[in-house]
Amino acid sequence: MFEKYTLKNGATVVLVPQSNTKSITTMIMFPVGSRNETEKLSGVSHYVEHLMFKGTQKRPSTLQLTKEIDRLGAQYNAFTGKEYTGYYIKTDASYVDISLDILSDMLFASTYDPQEMEREKHVIVEELRMYKDNPIMDIDNVFEELMFDGCALGRDIGGTEKHVLAYERDEVLAYRDTHYQPNNTKIVLAGNITEETKQKIEKYFGEIENKETSDRSYEPGLFGSDKKEDCLKVVYKDTDQVQMMIGVPGVKRGSDLAPTLSVLNTILGGSMSSRLFIKIRERLGLAYTVRSGAEYYQDTGYLYVQAGLEAKNVNKAIEAIKVEIEKIKSEGVTAQELADAKTHIKGRLTLSLEDSSSVASWFVRKATLSNEISTPEEWIKKIEGVTLESVQQIANDLYDLDALRVGLIGRLKKEDIIF
């Protein structure tokens, strides 16, 4: 069970007690990410996330701030997506007061020192280079640039080096103030919660005033051209292994089809006994890693299959993946596959939710990105309702292989790819 309520300044609070843990994870999320940015400010949401660790009025430097967290033995970090930015601290439950104090201080009292801001630009440039140098980390950027060509969803979350180095302080602060207001804040605590928890949340977050009206607008998601010549993107890189991601347009977050898609992807490429793993790795020996999945956004989404393989085997792998998808479309899946997929999803979710940080992540994402909070139990109930017919139907409805997009990073040429 969980409790949801609203502070007088509009901040949303969700408490999820867990009796079997001595930890508490405090996670704060804002519904702002890279798709909320203008082209000029590409990557600024990620930049703002970094700057929250650079010092506050109360804790003037990065060292003072992080040292105070580190001495607790805490786990902490922040993350930016295309539709959200989050911050968290996981500690022994006795330190929740300090966690709330630090997070509140970072998020609403950071000083944004001009020298620190300039210095951090170069840190982010190195982070962007790190991703570009690692195809496994970069392939989703390449694929989404292809899938959403021409709209904000197709841009890299971190922006580009040129964008980052050109940020101006007043523009960054204006962007922050547009989105970092109490009434746009989602506060989730999961773990060993006590009667005093509410009072502490009120103490550190309840008195912060809204200074501006929060803006949750975003540019609508649009798929790029589905002409065959526009559905392939190859980034040449001198690597021994090619990273490949292929996929088709899917459905938005909160779609009634999501549970069925989860089951379909589990059967197709969600485990070591899935159809693609057995076919691509065990039978054909083409790849060490192969998996399928789905990405959901507020108004759109996509399905994908990802694999790492030798350049000469790319066309063979694409054809084998298409054959497996066509089998599900024409023949469906077996009753045993359906039953096993359901228990697999339930089992993995159960194991993940033993940890307070995973519980906090579940609820903070629901509170931030959905109209209502659904529990893991409600999700499993929907999974249980998936039928053989619905799995085959969704495969036929969504896996239009004539609209297949293919993104590749490696030592190959565009003209050599057949799909």
Side-chain angles (χ1 to χ4, degrees):
M1 294 296 291
F2 68 93
E3 179 182 1
K4 177 184 176 183
Y5 62 96
T6 304
L7 301 179
K8 61 184 179 182
N9 57 15
T12 300
V13 178
V14 179
L15 303 179
V16 193
Q18 292 178 277
S19 60
N20 59 344
T21 181
K22 294 181 179 180
S23 72
I24 283 188
T25 297
T26 304
M27 194 169 288
I28 315 293
M29 188 173 278
F30 297 86
V32 56
S34 59
R35 76 177 307 189
N36 300 93
E37 303 159 355
T38 62
E39 194 280 332
K40 180 183 178 183
L41 288 176
S42 292
V44 73
S45 300
H46 175 245
Y47 181 52
V48 167
E49 174 221 306
H50 274 237
L51 294 174
M52 292 299 185
F53 290 86
K54 295 303 167 184
T56 70
Q57 295 175 1
K58 188 175 179 180
R59 301 170 173 91
S61 71
T62 301
L63 179 59
Q64 286 174 277
L65 193 154
T66 55
K67 190 174 182 179
E68 189 170 348
I69 310 175
D70 284 336
R71 72 178 181 83
L72 308 178
Q75 296 175 7
Y76 62 97
N77 212 332
F79 49 90
T80 305
K82 296 198 170 181
E83 297 184 326
Y84 54 79
T85 308
Y87 307 81
Y88 71 90
I89 301 177
K90 178 183 178 182
T91 65
D92 182 292
S94 62
Y95 299 136
V96 66
D97 191 83
I98 301 174
S99 297
L100 289 165
D101 181 14
I102 291 173
L103 284 168
S104 174
D105 196 29
M106 287 170 52
L107 298 174
F108 296 104
S110 284
T111 54
Y112 283 65
D113 176 77
Q115 287 186 320
E116 288 285 357
M117 292 180 73
E118 286 303 309
R119 187 181 296 119
E120 197 63 22
K121 289 180 181 180
H122 299 282
V123 173
I124 291 177
V125 165
E126 292 306 319
E127 182 181 0
L128 294 175
R129 290 172 179 172
M130 177 186 71
Y131 278 91
K132 291 296 181 185
D133 282 350
N134 189 332
I136 293 177
M137 300 169 77
D138 194 40
I139 185 60
D140 58 335
N141 286 327
V142 171
F143 183 75
E144 289 201 340
E145 286 171 6
L146 174 66
M147 179 64 75
F148 297 112
D149 183 33
C151 77
L153 281 176
R155 298 199 294 259
D156 191 320
I157 291 169
T160 67
E161 293 184 24
K162 181 179 178 181
H163 284 107
V164 172
L165 294 174
Y167 296 148
E168 295 183 11
R169 186 173 187 273
D170 59 342
E171 292 179 320
V172 174
L173 296 183
Y175 183 84
R176 176 203 63 182
D177 291 343
T178 299
H179 299 283
Y180 281 75
Q181 297 295 329
N183 59 16
N184 216 28
T185 307
K186 314 300 177 182
I187 305 165
V188 173
L189 277 74
N192 193 343
I193 293 170
T194 69
E195 291 296 324
E196 299 176 347
T197 303
K198 284 187 179 181
Q199 298 172 13
K200 294 175 180 178
I201 294 170
E202 178 66 34
K203 175 182 175 182
Y204 292 110
F205 287 92
E207 300 303 319
I208 302 169
E209 296 182 358
N210 291 289
K211 298 177 181 178
E212 293 191 20
T213 302
S214 299
D215 182 8
R216 293 194 63 171
S217 62
Y218 56 83
E219 180 185 328
L222 299 171
F223 294 115
S225 168
D226 60 1
K227 292 181 180 179
K228 198 73 171 178
E229 62 269 25
D230 298 328
C231 290
L232 173 64
K233 184 178 178 69
V234 176
V235 176
Y236 185 89
K237 199 169 190 66
D238 191 12
T239 59
D240 291 329
Q241 185 182 74
V242 171
Q243 284 299 315
M244 177 180 75
M245 198 164 177
I246 69 176
V248 294
V251 299
K252 67 180 181 179
R253 181 182 295 107
S255 168
D256 292 339
L257 300 176
T260 306
L261 264 182
S262 182
V263 171
L264 171 61
N265 274 313
T266 301
I267 295 170
L268 182 62
S271 71
M272 291 181 68
S273 60
S274 65
R275 291 192 178 195
L276 288 180
F277 195 95
I278 296 300
K279 182 70 173 183
I280 302 299
R281 173 171 161 159
E282 300 300 326
R283 298 290 178 264
L284 299 177
L286 299 179
Y288 173 72
T289 301
V290 59
R291 65 187 180 93
S292 67
E295 187 66 58
Y296 304 98
Y297 294 111
Q298 294 284 69
D299 55 345
T300 188
Y302 62 86
L303 316 182
Y304 68 86
V305 175
Q306 183 178 346
L309 57 159
E310 195 173 353
K312 69 178 184 180
N313 291 327
V314 167
N315 290 332
K316 189 183 296 185
I318 292 173
E319 182 58 30
I321 291 167
K322 291 170 67 176
V323 167
E324 291 303 314
I325 291 171
E326 288 292 357
K327 282 183 181 179
I328 293 179
K329 291 172 68 174
S330 61
E331 303 171 14
V333 300
T334 68
Q336 189 63 55
E337 284 179 313
L338 180 67
D340 289 347
K342 291 179 179 181
T343 56
H344 177 87
I345 293 169
K346 181 179 179 180
R348 292 194 65 176
L349 182 57
T350 299
L351 291 178
S352 72
L353 294 178
E354 289 184 348
D355 184 83
S356 65
S357 57
S358 296
V359 174
S361 180
W362 173 283
F363 282 91
V364 81
R365 290 171 190 270
K366 296 295 182 183
T368 305
L369 301 170
S370 303
N371 293 327
E372 60 182 32
I373 297 178
S374 59
T375 65
E377 292 77 16
E378 289 170 325
W379 172 250
I380 292 300
K381 187 175 181 180
K382 291 179 180 179
I383 294 293
E384 294 290 358
V386 174
T387 65
L388 291 169
E389 293 75 18
S390 65
V391 172
Q392 185 175 10
Q393 185 65 53
I394 202 171
N396 277 283
D397 289 346
L398 295 182
Y399 266 112
D400 178 5
L401 297 181
D402 290 331
L404 190 69
R405 272 76 164 179
V406 179
L408 297 157
I409 302 176
R411 202 161 47 195
L412 31 65
K413 298 178 182 179
K414 190 172 183 178
E415 56 266 28
D416 295 331
I417 306 305
I418 302 171
F419 68 105

